[in-house]
Amino acid sequence: MKRIISTKNAPAAIGPYSQAIEINGTLYVSGQIPINPATGKVVEGGITEQTSQVMKNIEAILTEAGYSFADVVKSTCLLSDMANFKAMNEVYGKCYAENPPARAAFAVKELPLGVLVEIETVAVK
């Protein structure tokens, strides 16, 4: 049975989608952008600050669903510029110090609200 995951500790969806969906022990976390859920605004700063906020948003959704970073098996990272790859990796890697998930990273032409990074995640119990 499909379960919709929603938490006030991550930004509300800015379109017709859920923060996450759990089905059959698998959690699909929608792409998270660096919006501070307390203010509803994109965090100030560069790729380091934006990636940090994205990872906080992912962690909040994982926690709400009863998962953790240890349960993540796949991530997809979207960057507005591959020049930000190294700095994004440094922040991202702190969440996966051991047994990091499979991952893809792409540069895209544009991201919602002009942000520098968006990350989607899949976790399995």
Side-chain angles (χ1 to χ4, degrees), residues 47-48 51-52 55 75 77 79 81-97 100-101 103-105 117 119:
I47 189 66
T48 298
T51 304
S52 179
M55 298 310 288
S75 292
C77 303
L79 298 162
D81 186 336
M82 283 307 280
N84 291 326
F85 181 77
K86 182 179 178 186
M88 180 277 297
N89 244 358
E90 289 174 7
V91 176
Y92 175 94
K94 291 176 185 175
C95 297
Y96 302 108
R103 188 184 82 184
V117 61
I119 300 174

Coordinates of all heavy atoms in Angstrom, one line a residue, residues 47-48 51-52 55 75 77 79 81-97 100-101 103-105 117 119:
I47 N 27.1 27.0 -3.2 CA 26.8 25.6 -3.4 C 26.9 24.9 -2.0 O 26.1 24.0 -1.7 CB 27.6 24.9 -4.5 CG1 27.1 23.5 -4.7 CG2 29.1 25.0 -4.1 CD1 25.7 23.4 -5.3
T48 N 27.8 25.3 -1.2 CA 28.0 24.6 0.1 C 26.8 24.8 1.0 O 26.3 23.8 1.5 CB 29.3 25.1 0.8 OG1 30.4 24.8 0.0 CG2 29.5 24.5 2.2
T51 N 23.7 22.9 -0.7 CA 23.8 21.5 -0.5 C 23.5 21.1 0.9 O 22.8 20.1 1.2 CB 25.1 20.9 -1.0 OG1 25.4 21.3 -2.3 CG2 25.1 19.4 -0.9
S52 N 24.0 21.9 1.9 CA 23.7 21.6 3.3 C 22.2 21.6 3.6 O 21.7 20.7 4.3 CB 24.5 22.6 4.2 OG 24.2 22.4 5.5
M55 N 20.4 18.6 2.1 CA 20.7 17.4 2.9 C 19.8 17.4 4.2 O 19.3 16.4 4.6 CB 22.1 17.1 3.1 CG 23.0 16.9 1.9 SD 22.3 15.7 0.7 CE 22.7 14.2 1.6
S75 N 20.9 7.9 -5.0 CA 20.7 9.4 -5.1 C 20.9 9.9 -6.5 O 21.8 9.3 -7.2 CB 21.6 10.2 -4.1 OG 21.3 9.9 -2.8
C77 N 21.8 13.6 -8.2 CA 22.2 15.0 -7.9 C 22.1 15.8 -9.2 O 22.8 15.4 -10.2 CB 23.6 15.0 -7.3 SG 23.8 14.0 -5.8
L79 N 22.9 19.5 -10.8 CA 23.7 20.7 -10.5 C 23.4 21.7 -11.7 O 23.3 21.3 -12.8 CB 25.1 20.4 -10.4 CG 25.6 19.4 -9.3 CD1 26.9 18.8 -9.5 CD2 25.5 20.2 -8.0
D81 N 25.7 23.7 -12.5 CA 27.0 23.9 -13.1 C 27.9 22.8 -12.5 O 28.1 22.7 -11.3 CB 27.5 25.3 -12.7 CG 28.8 25.6 -13.4 OD1 29.6 24.7 -13.8 OD2 29.1 26.9 -13.5
M82 N 28.6 22.0 -13.4 CA 29.5 21.0 -12.9 C 30.7 21.5 -12.2 O 31.4 20.8 -11.4 CB 29.9 20.1 -14.0 CG 28.9 19.1 -14.5 SD 28.2 18.0 -13.2 CE 29.4 16.8 -13.0
A83 N 30.9 22.8 -12.3 CA 32.0 23.4 -11.5 C 31.7 23.3 -10.0 O 32.6 23.4 -9.2 CB 32.2 24.9 -11.9
N84 N 30.5 23.1 -9.6 CA 30.1 23.0 -8.2 C 30.1 21.5 -7.7 O 29.9 21.3 -6.5 CB 28.7 23.5 -8.0 CG 28.6 25.0 -8.2 OD1 29.5 25.7 -7.8 ND2 27.5 25.5 -8.7
F85 N 30.6 20.6 -8.6 CA 30.5 19.2 -8.2 C 31.4 18.9 -7.0 O 30.9 18.2 -6.1 CB 31.0 18.3 -9.4 CG 31.0 16.9 -9.2 CD1 29.9 16.1 -9.2 CD2 32.2 16.2 -8.9 CE1 29.9 14.8 -9.0 CE2 32.3 14.8 -8.7 CZ 31.1 14.1 -8.7
K86 N 32.6 19.4 -6.9 CA 33.5 19.1 -5.8 C 33.0 19.6 -4.5 O 32.9 18.9 -3.5 CB 34.9 19.7 -6.1 CG 35.9 19.4 -5.0 CD 37.3 19.9 -5.3 CE 38.2 19.6 -4.1 NZ 39.5 20.3 -4.2
A87 N 32.5 20.8 -4.5 CA 32.0 21.4 -3.2 C 30.7 20.7 -2.8 O 30.5 20.4 -1.6 CB 31.7 22.9 -3.4
M88 N 29.8 20.3 -3.8 CA 28.6 19.6 -3.4 C 29.0 18.2 -2.8 O 28.5 17.8 -1.8 CB 27.8 19.3 -4.7 CG 26.5 18.6 -4.5 SD 26.6 16.8 -4.5 CE 27.2 16.4 -6.1
N89 N 30.0 17.6 -3.4 CA 30.4 16.3 -3.0 C 30.9 16.3 -1.5 O 30.7 15.4 -0.7 CB 31.6 15.8 -3.8 CG 31.3 14.5 -4.6 OD1 30.2 14.0 -4.5 ND2 32.2 14.1 -5.4
E90 N 31.6 17.4 -1.1 CA 32.2 17.5 0.2 C 31.0 17.5 1.2 O 31.1 16.9 2.3 CB 33.0 18.7 0.3 CG 34.4 18.6 -0.4 CD 35.2 19.9 -0.4 OE1 34.8 20.9 0.2 OE2 36.2 19.9 -1.2
V91 N 30.0 18.3 1.0 CA 28.8 18.3 1.9 C 28.1 17.0 1.9 O 27.8 16.4 2.9 CB 27.9 19.5 1.6 CG1 26.7 19.5 2.4 CG2 28.7 20.8 1.6
Y92 N 27.8 16.5 0.7 CA 27.0 15.3 0.5 C 27.7 14.1 1.2 O 27.1 13.3 1.9 CB 26.9 15.0 -1.0 CG 26.2 13.7 -1.4 CD1 24.9 13.7 -1.7 CD2 27.0 12.6 -1.6 CE1 24.3 12.5 -2.1 CE2 26.4 11.4 -1.9 CZ 25.0 11.4 -2.2 OH 24.4 10.2 -2.6
G93 N 29.0 14.0 1.0 CA 29.8 12.9 1.6 C 29.7 12.8 3.1 O 29.9 11.7 3.7
K94 N 29.5 13.9 3.8 CA 29.4 13.9 5.3 C 28.2 13.1 5.7 O 28.2 12.6 6.8 CB 29.4 15.4 5.8 CG 30.7 16.1 5.6 CD 30.5 17.6 6.1 CE 31.8 18.3 5.8 NZ 31.7 19.7 6.1
C95 N 27.2 13.0 4.9 CA 26.0 12.3 5.3 C 26.2 10.8 5.0 O 25.4 10.0 5.5 CB 24.8 12.8 4.5 SG 24.4 14.5 4.9
Y96 N 27.2 10.4 4.2 CA 27.4 9.0 3.9 C 28.8 8.6 4.1 O 29.5 8.2 3.2 CB 27.0 8.8 2.4 CG 25.6 9.2 2.1 CD1 25.3 10.3 1.3 CD2 24.5 8.4 2.5 CE1 24.0 10.7 1.0 CE2 23.2 8.7 2.2 CZ 23.0 9.9 1.5 OH 21.7 10.2 1.2
A97 N 29.3 8.8 5.3 CA 30.7 8.5 5.7 C 31.0 7.0 5.4 O 32.2 6.7 5.1 CB 31.0 8.9 7.1
P100 N 28.4 4.5 1.2 CA 27.6 5.5 0.4 C 26.7 4.8 -0.6 O 27.0 3.7 -1.1 CB 28.6 6.4 -0.2 CG 29.8 5.6 -0.3 CD 29.8 4.7 0.9
P101 N 25.6 5.4 -0.9 CA 24.6 4.9 -1.9 C 25.2 5.0 -3.3 O 26.1 5.7 -3.6 CB 23.4 5.7 -1.7 CG 23.9 7.0 -1.3 CD 25.1 6.7 -0.4
R103 N 24.9 6.5 -7.0 CA 24.6 7.9 -7.3 C 24.9 8.2 -8.7 O 25.8 7.7 -9.3 CB 25.4 8.8 -6.4 CG 24.9 10.2 -6.5 CD 25.8 11.1 -5.7 NE 27.0 11.5 -6.4 CZ 28.0 12.2 -5.9 NH1 27.9 12.7 -4.7 NH2 29.0 12.5 -6.6
A104 N 24.1 9.2 -9.2 CA 24.4 9.8 -10.5 C 24.4 11.3 -10.2 O 23.7 11.8 -9.3 CB 23.3 9.4 -11.5
A105 N 25.2 12.0 -11.0 CA 25.2 13.5 -10.9 C 25.2 14.1 -12.3 O 26.0 13.6 -13.2 CB 26.4 13.9 -10.1
V117 N 21.4 23.4 -6.8 CA 21.5 21.9 -6.6 C 20.1 21.4 -6.3 O 19.3 22.1 -5.6 CB 22.5 21.5 -5.5 CG1 22.2 22.1 -4.2 CG2 22.7 20.0 -5.4
I119 N 18.5 17.3 -5.2 CA 18.9 15.9 -5.0 C 17.6 15.1 -4.7 O 16.9 15.5 -3.8 CB 19.9 15.8 -3.8 CG1 21.2 16.5 -4.2 CG2 20.2 14.3 -3.6 CD1 22.2 16.6 -3.0

